PDB file of all heavy atoms in Angstrom:
ATOM      1  N   GLY A 885     -30.385 -10.573   0.660  1.00 94.00           N
ATOM      2  CA  GLY A 885     -29.757  -9.670  -0.302  1.00 94.00           C
ATOM      3  C   GLY A 885     -28.571 -10.252  -1.039  1.00 94.00           C
ATOM      4  O   GLY A 885     -27.882  -9.519  -1.762  1.00 94.00           O
ATOM      5  N   ALA A 886     -28.308 -11.537  -0.894  1.00 97.00           N
ATOM      6  CA  ALA A 886     -27.132 -12.130  -1.530  1.00 97.00           C
ATOM      7  C   ALA A 886     -27.303 -12.210  -3.050  1.00 97.00           C
ATOM      8  O   ALA A 886     -28.410 -12.364  -3.569  1.00 97.00           O
ATOM      9  CB  ALA A 886     -26.876 -13.521  -0.970  1.00 97.00           C
ATOM     10  N   VAL A 887     -26.179 -12.084  -3.748  1.00 96.00           N
ATOM     11  CA  VAL A 887     -26.122 -12.302  -5.186  1.00 96.00           C
ATOM     12  C   VAL A 887     -25.606 -13.712  -5.416  1.00 96.00           C
ATOM     13  O   VAL A 887     -24.601 -14.122  -4.829  1.00 96.00           O
ATOM     14  CB  VAL A 887     -25.196 -11.286  -5.871  1.00 96.00           C
ATOM     15  CG1 VAL A 887     -24.980 -11.643  -7.333  1.00 96.00           C
ATOM     16  CG2 VAL A 887     -25.767  -9.875  -5.751  1.00 96.00           C
ATOM     17  N   LEU A 888     -26.283 -14.464  -6.255  1.00 97.00           N
ATOM     18  CA  LEU A 888     -25.857 -15.811  -6.607  1.00 97.00           C
ATOM     19  C   LEU A 888     -25.413 -15.830  -8.065  1.00 97.00           C
ATOM     20  O   LEU A 888     -26.168 -15.431  -8.957  1.00 97.00           O
ATOM     21  CB  LEU A 888     -26.982 -16.823  -6.392  1.00 97.00           C
ATOM     22  CG  LEU A 888     -27.371 -17.107  -4.948  1.00 97.00           C
ATOM     23  CD1 LEU A 888     -28.614 -17.989  -4.898  1.00 97.00           C
ATOM     24  CD2 LEU A 888     -26.225 -17.783  -4.213  1.00 97.00           C
ATOM     25  N   LEU A 889     -24.191 -16.259  -8.282  1.00 98.00           N
ATOM     26  CA  LEU A 889     -23.676 -16.431  -9.642  1.00 98.00           C
ATOM     27  C   LEU A 889     -23.593 -17.919  -9.932  1.00 98.00           C
ATOM     28  O   LEU A 889     -22.832 -18.642  -9.279  1.00 98.00           O
ATOM     29  CB  LEU A 889     -22.299 -15.784  -9.774  1.00 98.00           C
ATOM     30  CG  LEU A 889     -22.258 -14.258  -9.683  1.00 98.00           C
ATOM     31  CD1 LEU A 889     -20.821 -13.774  -9.619  1.00 98.00           C
ATOM     32  CD2 LEU A 889     -22.966 -13.635 -10.877  1.00 98.00           C
ATOM     33  N   PRO A 890     -24.358 -18.408 -10.890  1.00 98.00           N
ATOM     34  CA  PRO A 890     -24.341 -19.847 -11.161  1.00 98.00           C
ATOM     35  C   PRO A 890     -23.037 -20.297 -11.798  1.00 98.00           C
ATOM     36  O   PRO A 890     -22.356 -19.527 -12.482  1.00 98.00           O
ATOM     37  CB  PRO A 890     -25.519 -20.037 -12.122  1.00 98.00           C
ATOM     38  CG  PRO A 890     -25.691 -18.709 -12.787  1.00 98.00           C
ATOM     39  CD  PRO A 890     -25.305 -17.683 -11.755  1.00 98.00           C
ATOM     40  N   SER A 891     -22.712 -21.530 -11.580  1.00 98.00           N
ATOM     41  CA  SER A 891     -21.457 -22.101 -12.068  1.00 98.00           C
ATOM     42  C   SER A 891     -21.260 -21.903 -13.561  1.00 98.00           C
ATOM     43  O   SER A 891     -20.137 -21.711 -14.023  1.00 98.00           O
ATOM     44  CB  SER A 891     -21.416 -23.590 -11.714  1.00 98.00           C
ATOM     45  OG  SER A 891     -20.279 -24.210 -12.258  1.00 98.00           O
ATOM     46  N   TRP A 892     -22.347 -21.922 -14.313  1.00 98.00           N
ATOM     47  CA  TRP A 892     -22.213 -21.888 -15.773  1.00 98.00           C
ATOM     48  C   TRP A 892     -21.812 -20.526 -16.336  1.00 98.00           C
ATOM     49  O   TRP A 892     -21.510 -20.416 -17.531  1.00 98.00           O
ATOM     50  CB  TRP A 892     -23.481 -22.398 -16.446  1.00 98.00           C
ATOM     51  CG  TRP A 892     -24.762 -21.710 -16.062  1.00 98.00           C
ATOM     52  CD1 TRP A 892     -25.622 -22.073 -15.076  1.00 98.00           C
ATOM     53  CD2 TRP A 892     -25.316 -20.543 -16.667  1.00 98.00           C
ATOM     54  NE1 TRP A 892     -26.683 -21.208 -15.022  1.00 98.00           N
ATOM     55  CE2 TRP A 892     -26.539 -20.264 -15.986  1.00 98.00           C
ATOM     56  CE3 TRP A 892     -24.933 -19.704 -17.711  1.00 98.00           C
ATOM     57  CZ2 TRP A 892     -27.352 -19.180 -16.319  1.00 98.00           C
ATOM     58  CZ3 TRP A 892     -25.740 -18.621 -18.048  1.00 98.00           C
ATOM     59  CH2 TRP A 892     -26.934 -18.377 -17.352  1.00 98.00           C
ATOM     60  N   VAL A 893     -21.773 -19.468 -15.499  1.00 98.00           N
ATOM     61  CA  VAL A 893     -21.290 -18.169 -15.985  1.00 98.00           C
ATOM     62  C   VAL A 893     -19.863 -17.892 -15.525  1.00 98.00           C
ATOM     63  O   VAL A 893     -19.322 -16.819 -15.793  1.00 98.00           O
ATOM     64  CB  VAL A 893     -22.221 -17.012 -15.548  1.00 98.00           C
ATOM     65  CG1 VAL A 893     -23.634 -17.247 -16.028  1.00 98.00           C
ATOM     66  CG2 VAL A 893     -22.173 -16.784 -14.043  1.00 98.00           C
ATOM     67  N   ILE A 894     -19.243 -18.846 -14.858  1.00 98.00           N
ATOM     68  CA  ILE A 894     -17.910 -18.670 -14.268  1.00 98.00           C
ATOM     69  C   ILE A 894     -16.963 -19.706 -14.849  1.00 98.00           C
ATOM     70  O   ILE A 894     -17.341 -20.867 -15.048  1.00 98.00           O
ATOM     71  CB  ILE A 894     -17.979 -18.810 -12.734  1.00 98.00           C
ATOM     72  CG1 ILE A 894     -18.910 -17.756 -12.128  1.00 98.00           C
ATOM     73  CG2 ILE A 894     -16.592 -18.706 -12.112  1.00 98.00           C
ATOM     74  CD1 ILE A 894     -19.304 -18.038 -10.696  1.00 98.00           C
ATOM     75  N   ASP A 895     -15.726 -19.308 -15.123  1.00 98.00           N
ATOM     76  CA  ASP A 895     -14.740 -20.261 -15.640  1.00 98.00           C
ATOM     77  C   ASP A 895     -13.961 -20.951 -14.538  1.00 98.00           C
ATOM     78  O   ASP A 895     -13.685 -22.140 -14.628  1.00 98.00           O
ATOM     79  CB  ASP A 895     -13.770 -19.545 -16.595  1.00 98.00           C
ATOM     80  CG  ASP A 895     -14.445 -19.154 -17.891  1.00 98.00           C
ATOM     81  OD1 ASP A 895     -14.586 -20.008 -18.765  1.00 98.00           O
ATOM     82  OD2 ASP A 895     -14.855 -17.987 -18.009  1.00 98.00           O
ATOM     83  N   ALA A 896     -13.580 -20.199 -13.507  1.00 98.00           N
ATOM     84  CA  ALA A 896     -12.769 -20.783 -12.445  1.00 98.00           C
ATOM     85  C   ALA A 896     -13.108 -20.158 -11.101  1.00 98.00           C
ATOM     86  O   ALA A 896     -13.394 -18.962 -11.006  1.00 98.00           O
ATOM     87  CB  ALA A 896     -11.276 -20.602 -12.740  1.00 98.00           C
ATOM     88  N   VAL A 897     -13.069 -20.990 -10.077  1.00 98.00           N
ATOM     89  CA  VAL A 897     -13.203 -20.560  -8.693  1.00 98.00           C
ATOM     90  C   VAL A 897     -11.930 -20.971  -7.958  1.00 98.00           C
ATOM     91  O   VAL A 897     -11.475 -22.117  -8.105  1.00 98.00           O
ATOM     92  CB  VAL A 897     -14.437 -21.184  -8.016  1.00 98.00           C
ATOM     93  CG1 VAL A 897     -14.438 -20.895  -6.519  1.00 98.00           C
ATOM     94  CG2 VAL A 897     -15.714 -20.681  -8.659  1.00 98.00           C
ATOM     95  N   ALA A 898     -11.344 -20.045  -7.214  1.00 98.00           N
ATOM     96  CA  ALA A 898     -10.124 -20.332  -6.463  1.00 98.00           C
ATOM     97  C   ALA A 898     -10.319 -19.937  -5.012  1.00 98.00           C
ATOM     98  O   ALA A 898     -10.810 -18.840  -4.719  1.00 98.00           O
ATOM     99  CB  ALA A 898      -8.935 -19.580  -7.058  1.00 98.00           C
ATOM    100  N   VAL A 899      -9.934 -20.818  -4.108  1.00 98.00           N
ATOM    101  CA  VAL A 899     -10.040 -20.520  -2.683  1.00 98.00           C
ATOM    102  C   VAL A 899      -8.882 -19.605  -2.286  1.00 98.00           C
ATOM    103  O   VAL A 899      -7.715 -19.926  -2.528  1.00 98.00           O
ATOM    104  CB  VAL A 899     -10.023 -21.804  -1.840  1.00 98.00           C
ATOM    105  CG1 VAL A 899     -10.151 -21.469  -0.352  1.00 98.00           C
ATOM    106  CG2 VAL A 899     -11.156 -22.731  -2.259  1.00 98.00           C
ATOM    107  N   ALA A 900      -9.232 -18.459  -1.706  1.00 98.00           N
ATOM    108  CA  ALA A 900      -8.215 -17.492  -1.274  1.00 98.00           C
ATOM    109  C   ALA A 900      -8.683 -16.847   0.023  1.00 98.00           C
ATOM    110  O   ALA A 900      -9.212 -15.730   0.018  1.00 98.00           O
ATOM    111  CB  ALA A 900      -7.975 -16.443  -2.353  1.00 98.00           C
ATOM    112  N   PRO A 901      -8.511 -17.526   1.151  1.00 98.00           N
ATOM    113  CA  PRO A 901      -8.919 -16.929   2.429  1.00 98.00           C
ATOM    114  C   PRO A 901      -8.197 -15.602   2.659  1.00 98.00           C
ATOM    115  O   PRO A 901      -6.983 -15.495   2.457  1.00 98.00           O
ATOM    116  CB  PRO A 901      -8.493 -17.974   3.463  1.00 98.00           C
ATOM    117  CG  PRO A 901      -8.398 -19.256   2.695  1.00 98.00           C
ATOM    118  CD  PRO A 901      -7.945 -18.869   1.322  1.00 98.00           C
ATOM    119  N   GLY A 902      -8.945 -14.587   3.045  1.00 98.00           N
ATOM    120  CA  GLY A 902      -8.342 -13.265   3.199  1.00 98.00           C
ATOM    121  C   GLY A 902      -8.034 -12.598   1.882  1.00 98.00           C
ATOM    122  O   GLY A 902      -7.292 -11.617   1.841  1.00 98.00           O
ATOM    123  N   GLY A 903      -8.625 -13.096   0.804  1.00 98.00           N
ATOM    124  CA  GLY A 903      -8.281 -12.629  -0.537  1.00 98.00           C
ATOM    125  C   GLY A 903      -8.698 -11.216  -0.860  1.00 98.00           C
ATOM    126  O   GLY A 903      -8.303 -10.682  -1.889  1.00 98.00           O
ATOM    127  N   ALA A 904      -9.495 -10.591   0.014  1.00 98.00           N
ATOM    128  CA  ALA A 904      -9.888  -9.200  -0.204  1.00 98.00           C
ATOM    129  C   ALA A 904      -9.101  -8.229   0.663  1.00 98.00           C
ATOM    130  O   ALA A 904      -9.259  -7.018   0.525  1.00 98.00           O
ATOM    131  CB  ALA A 904     -11.379  -9.020   0.072  1.00 98.00           C
ATOM    132  N   LYS A 905      -8.264  -8.718   1.576  1.00 98.00           N
ATOM    133  CA  LYS A 905      -7.519  -7.827   2.463  1.00 98.00           C
ATOM    134  C   LYS A 905      -6.531  -6.971   1.687  1.00 98.00           C
ATOM    135  O   LYS A 905      -5.899  -7.469   0.759  1.00 98.00           O
ATOM    136  CB  LYS A 905      -6.763  -8.650   3.519  1.00 98.00           C
ATOM    137  CG  LYS A 905      -7.685  -9.344   4.501  1.00 98.00           C
ATOM    138  CD  LYS A 905      -6.876 -10.129   5.534  1.00 98.00           C
ATOM    139  CE  LYS A 905      -7.808 -10.804   6.551  1.00 98.00           C
ATOM    140  NZ  LYS A 905      -7.037 -11.564   7.565  1.00 98.00           N
TER     141      LYS A 905
END
Side-chain angles (χ1 to χ4, degrees):
V887 172
L888 291 173
L889 292 171
S891 175
W892 55 268
V893 303
I894 300 165
D895 290 279
V897 171
V899 181
K905 292 181 179 180

